[in-house]
Amino acid sequence: MSDELRDLRHAKNIPAGDMVAVVQQLYPKYDKTMQSKCENGAAYGVDIRADALEALYLAFAPELLEQRRRRKNSGHRLTCRISARLADGEYGLLQQHIHADGYATMQDWITDIVRAYLAGKEAGPDVE
């Protein structure tokens, strides 16, 4: 985050004092010394808080805020996830069968299973 803070200041040519004023709205004791330490976080072991950095982006680079949020959220196109825990033996056996059925990845298999399940539900009520 320290690089991101420093990069923001340099890219937008923002005086450190202006950035300090924005952060002081959230954290009144934040000052130029703290700003410098946050920009050099690797040397001081200090990072600016995420909400303060977001306030800085909102104030000085709102056009970059959405891009930053997307990057922070891993950037995956498919954002929803399902998972389960299995015993080691069951998991190993499942992997063997999945690969034997021609699936390259667990992701491919799970996607296929979910789509088949949903298609069955869309077709109508279960007939027993």
Side-chain angles (χ1 to χ4, degrees):
M1 254 194 253
S2 59
D3 291 339
E4 193 174 0
L5 178 63
R6 185 175 45 252
D7 291 346
L8 173 64
R9 189 169 63 79
H10 290 299
K12 294 293 185 172
N13 203 19
I14 308 165
D18 291 354
M19 293 180 88
V20 168
V22 169
V23 176
Q24 280 180 336
Q25 293 173 7
L26 296 171
Y27 302 100
K29 292 186 176 187
Y30 189 84
D31 59 10
K32 280 188 178 181
T33 303
M34 186 59 65
Q35 172 80 16
S36 176
K37 288 180 180 180
C38 287
E39 286 186 17
N40 298 290
Y44 291 98
V46 175
D47 268 333
I48 190 164
R49 291 179 54 108
D51 59 339
L53 188 57
E54 185 149 333
L56 289 169
Y57 270 96
L58 200 57
F60 299 110
E63 72 279 4
L64 299 176
L65 192 56
E66 187 58 36
Q67 176 186 353
R68 180 180 178 276
R69 286 180 181 155
R70 200 169 330 143
R71 189 173 353 122
K72 186 176 79 175
N73 292 336
S74 79
H76 287 274
R77 182 177 57 85
L78 304 173
T79 57
C80 297
R81 169 189 304 224
I82 59 174
S83 66
R85 298 208 177 265
L86 299 172
D88 291 344
E90 289 175 322
Y91 182 72
L93 193 57
L94 178 62
Q95 279 190 314
Q96 287 176 4
H97 289 298
I98 286 172
H99 290 297
D101 287 344
Y103 291 99
T105 65
M106 187 67 75
Q107 174 75 35
D108 293 339
W109 180 75
I110 291 173
T111 301
D112 237 19
I113 295 297
V114 169
R115 287 181 180 155
Y117 175 80
L118 293 175
K121 290 296 184 181
E122 293 294 316
D126 290 341
V127 178
E128 292 188 30

